[in-house]
Amino acid sequence: MQLRLDAADRLVELIEERRGPVYAEEAARRLFALRHAPVGLARSLLEEVVGDDTRLAWRGDAVGLADPPGADLALEDAPFVVVDLETTGLRPGSSRICEIGAVRVRGFELAEEFELLVDPGVPLAAAISALTGLHDAELRGQPHPSIAVRRFLEFAGDAVLVAHNARFDLAFIDRETERLTGGRLAGPVVDTVGLARRLLAGRTRRAGLASLAQFFGTEARPCHRALPDAQATAEILLQLIGLAQERGARTVADLVDLAAPRVRKVYAKRTLAFGAPASPGVYLFRDRHDQVLYVGRARDLRARLRSYFRSERQRPAVEAALFALERIEWRPMGSEVEAAIEELRLLRELRPVANARNARPDRYVYLRRRGDKLVCSQTPTPLGPIRSRARARLACRALDGASEEELERPELALPRLRARLRHLADCRRYEDAARLRDRIRALEQILNYLRRVESLRHARCCLVVPALEPGFVRAIFVAGGRVAAVRTLPRGDGARLEVEAGLAETNRGTPDHLAAEELDALLAIGTFLRRPPPELRVAPLAANEILRLAAALPPALDGEPRARPRARAA
């Protein structure tokens, strides 16, 4: 099921990239990695993907985007079914339906009603029982969720579904529908939350069901039970349809369009990401002066770049970079490990304005003794380097008044500090307790971080990953608290020469203090050592073992033909 949904998403992206219908043969080749696909075979492979997705439609022997649902259905002729669910929780994957209520709207008047209790198969939480008034005893023996959803779908028929915060209710219904039919609901859906926000902008600040019911003075009052909430939503819908008609809405498609979230302005720039490969790599956002605004890395460049234009707003600095964006440059890599190292190099060299965590080793600090306390310093010591100066200062304040032994081993101060925190709380000195709590948390985080850095400082290993060039392997040598060397291993006897050259770079001893400029790369390596991706192999610093793992390494992640670094301009 999920594979079919992913294929539909990729097909929609391909049609948008081509700016028009795509012939079935090409679509089948791209989606199913076929070298050749006759028209008959291509249509049979795509039939289920196209037929189950309302965004797609056949245009002869090509696949294109379908007309919006409800485009030919006038509002006065449209049957609506307003639905509301009560559930055991908020997540469709782990929670279940416990009540369904629905109201049919025909000719702008409320008609038949549907109400059904559902046995979720799990006990209701006390908070849910208190909120809804439902109890396990009255739900026990009621229809199973899949049976209840089947009965609701029979009641709804071909009507346009309406819900308040439709994404929540439809997620539960879709989950049960997938179990029943293997597909999701395909008809148009109207969300009264989005519709109210668009039509009532400036007139009411809240779009909750209770707030809108009070605003419109509905006869039914929401009470966290399915049928009364559906009745209130139906009355609100009729009021909103009247406002929508004043704005020129004539069809269900117009209503759905008004209810849809407003498209971000940067969505129009999504074509800049067309053509990006589905492989690891780094990417650079450039403005009209070719200045680099932002640098990032991704395991899947295509998916990551397109997410900037399809998802919710980014943090302010990245959002500003997207508004100024004129060109995206991507550089495919053989692995995510190599992409991480390249990203750090670019951050140090370019210092893009939109990157929150620019690599600035000159700002990193160490903790060192000054009299009877610890202070932040640029002088290298065993306690560092630390990237967060603010957190380091809080940790130092936590150790004010510490004993000589605690200053030498700061972890020994934690029991005393926690006892002090409990004493302040018992004395109701809450502001002092809050300040001490923040300092203790900072000290704990710094100590955990320093233990991890110390472990990496003594690490001696070789990371073996695929290279971008087919048949080649990248060997990353880690020793002496740094990335000592990165070598490309070719086929044949040349691989041993490269390995020996890399091993020669690891012969330096481990320094007493970790250099600040080596920290970021070392932490990135540590992340991959803790959670290694499938293509990564870790070898000891022994030539034969490195060569053995390199020979058995799978090819690079992306099976598509490799392209040289390229960019897409507006």
Side-chain angles (χ1 to χ4, degrees):
M1 176 63 194
Q2 187 60 45
L3 291 176
R4 187 163 70 247
L5 298 178
D6 292 342
D9 290 339
R10 291 170 57 197
L11 189 51
V12 169
E13 291 177 352
L14 180 61
I15 295 169
E16 290 179 345
E17 184 175 339
R18 293 288 189 271
R19 293 182 171 85
V22 178
Y23 283 108
E25 304 98 299
E26 181 185 1
R29 288 199 304 269
R30 292 289 296 272
L31 262 63
F32 304 109
L34 301 175
R35 291 187 177 182
H36 176 66
V39 177
L41 174 62
R43 284 192 67 107
S44 65
L45 291 173
L46 295 170
E47 195 67 47
E48 193 173 9
V49 176
V50 176
D52 289 346
D53 198 294
T54 56
R55 298 170 296 175
L56 301 169
W58 287 106
R59 310 292 189 199
D61 284 333
V63 182
L65 296 180
D67 296 328
D72 55 351
L73 185 57
L75 288 173
E76 56 270 20
D77 298 329
F80 297 93
V81 167
V82 183
V83 61
D84 186 84
L85 305 181
E86 299 302 326
T87 63
T88 62
L90 301 178
R91 296 184 177 181
S94 57
S95 305
R96 307 298 293 273
I97 300 170
C98 57
E99 187 180 23
I100 303 177
V103 178
R104 190 184 305 279
V105 177
R106 186 187 297 110
F108 296 152
E109 292 185 356
L110 275 60
E112 300 89 357
E113 296 177 347
F114 177 91
E115 184 177 23
L116 185 62
L117 293 176
V118 183
D119 185 354
V122 295
L124 290 182
I128 299 297
S129 292
L131 182 68
T132 63
L134 294 170
H135 299 282
D136 293 329
E138 58 186 312
L139 297 180
R140 196 173 297 117
Q142 299 294 338
H144 186 270
S146 59
I147 297 174
V149 168
R150 183 188 293 116
R151 292 182 185 176
F152 164 71
L153 294 177
E154 292 171 356
F155 171 81
D158 295 330
V160 178
L161 293 182
V162 182
H164 197 75
N165 191 14
R167 184 171 61 176
F168 174 82
D169 296 278
L170 269 295
F172 282 88
I173 294 175
D174 275 338
R175 185 170 181 83
E176 297 300 333
T177 305
E178 287 176 13
R179 291 174 177 170
L180 291 170
T181 66
R184 295 180 293 188
L185 297 177
V189 177
V190 177
D191 187 352
T192 50
V193 171
L195 201 56
R197 285 174 177 165
R198 179 68 64 88
L199 298 175
L200 300 178
R203 298 175 62 185
T204 179
R205 292 185 300 173
R206 297 181 178 179
L209 186 57
S211 299
L212 293 179
Q214 183 176 5
F215 180 84
F216 286 118
T218 61
E219 183 178 346
R221 290 296 177 183
C223 59
H224 293 290
R225 289 298 298 268
L227 184 57
D229 287 4
Q231 291 169 335
T233 304
E235 294 183 55
I236 291 168
L237 172 69
L238 295 179
Q239 298 283 349
L240 293 174
I241 287 177
L243 295 175
Q245 288 176 320
E246 292 177 5
R247 292 201 180 190
R250 295 292 177 264
T251 66
V252 171
D254 296 334
L255 199 65
V256 172
D257 185 59
L258 280 173
R262 295 187 180 182
V263 176
R264 295 167 62 213
K265 292 181 180 179
V266 298
Y267 181 72
K269 297 185 179 183
R270 68 192 186 282
T271 56
L272 298 180
F274 288 166
S279 64
V282 296
Y283 53 90
L284 298 85
F285 290 172
R286 295 182 180 270
D287 63 12
R288 61 179 179 175
H289 304 295
D290 216 34
Q291 182 78 21
V292 176
L293 304 171
Y294 183 78
V295 171
R297 65 176 167 93
R299 183 172 181 82
D300 184 334
L301 283 170
R302 177 189 298 162
R304 182 69 185 104
L305 289 175
R306 294 186 179 186
S307 71
Y308 283 105
F309 309 102
R310 295 183 180 277
S311 61
E312 299 297 326
R313 289 177 60 87
Q314 309 289 322
R315 58 184 177 82
V318 177
E319 194 72 15
L322 290 172
F323 274 106
L325 178 65
E326 291 292 328
R327 187 166 69 91
I328 300 177
E329 177 185 351
W330 51 79
R331 302 177 184 179
M333 303 282 170
S335 69
E336 195 177 2
V337 180
E338 188 181 358
I341 295 175
E342 177 67 9
E343 179 196 26
L344 289 172
R345 185 187 69 80
L346 291 172
L347 288 174
R348 282 195 299 268
E349 290 183 3
L350 302 175
R351 295 188 178 179
V353 294
N355 281 90
R357 59 175 193 86
N358 263 332
R360 296 293 301 272
D362 55 307
R363 295 183 179 178
Y364 297 167
V365 297
Y366 298 80
L367 302 184
R368 71 178 181 88
R369 287 284 300 274
R370 179 184 290 172
D372 59 351
K373 60 182 180 180
L374 285 181
V375 296
C376 297
S377 171
Q378 296 287 338
T379 304
T381 72
L383 300 178
I386 300 169
R387 293 192 289 187
S388 173
R389 185 186 295 263
R391 187 175 297 164
R393 285 174 175 168
L394 280 176
C396 290
R397 289 172 186 165
L399 293 170
D400 286 348
S403 66
E404 189 74 20
E405 189 178 10
E406 289 174 346
L407 291 175
E408 291 295 330
R409 298 178 59 194
E411 63 272 14
L412 298 179
L414 288 174
R416 176 179 60 82
L417 293 172
R418 290 169 183 148
R420 173 66 177 166
L421 178 62
R422 289 192 295 270
H423 174 71
L424 291 174
D426 292 340
C427 295
R428 299 186 180 181
R429 294 170 57 184
Y430 298 124
E431 292 183 1
D432 292 337
R435 280 192 291 269
L436 181 58
R437 176 203 61 202
D438 294 341
R439 294 173 183 179
I440 292 174
R441 182 183 298 130
L443 179 59
E444 290 172 337
Q445 291 171 342
I446 290 292
L447 291 174
N448 290 334
Y449 163 82
L450 290 175
R451 280 193 288 268
R452 182 155 55 97
V453 169
E454 182 65 13
S455 174
L456 290 171
R457 191 167 70 88
H458 293 282
R460 292 179 59 82
C461 60
C462 178
L463 281 65
V464 183
V465 292
L468 180 66
E469 304 83 1
F472 286 72
V473 170
R474 207 82 75 205
I476 302 168
F477 296 84
V478 180
R482 65 192 180 97
V483 177
V486 179
R487 311 295 295 189
T488 301
L489 310 186
R491 301 183 184 91
D493 296 336
R496 181 170 290 276
L497 295 176
E498 292 291 337
V499 170
E500 296 293 348
L503 290 174
E505 294 289 334
T506 67
N507 289 332
R508 301 183 193 176
T510 302
D512 294 333
H513 313 306
L514 181 62
E517 57 270 15
E518 304 290 350
L519 175 66
D520 292 294
L522 201 60
L523 289 176
I525 293 296
T527 300
F528 290 110
L529 290 176
R530 287 199 312 275
R531 294 187 296 272
E535 72 276 8
L536 172 64
R537 302 292 184 270
V538 181
L541 295 181
N544 290 336
E545 185 64 16
I546 294 172
L547 291 170
R548 184 185 68 80
L549 290 178
L553 196 68
L557 290 181
D558 186 13
E560 298 177 4
R562 294 289 184 176
R564 289 178 295 179
R566 54 170 297 189
R568 185 81 179 220

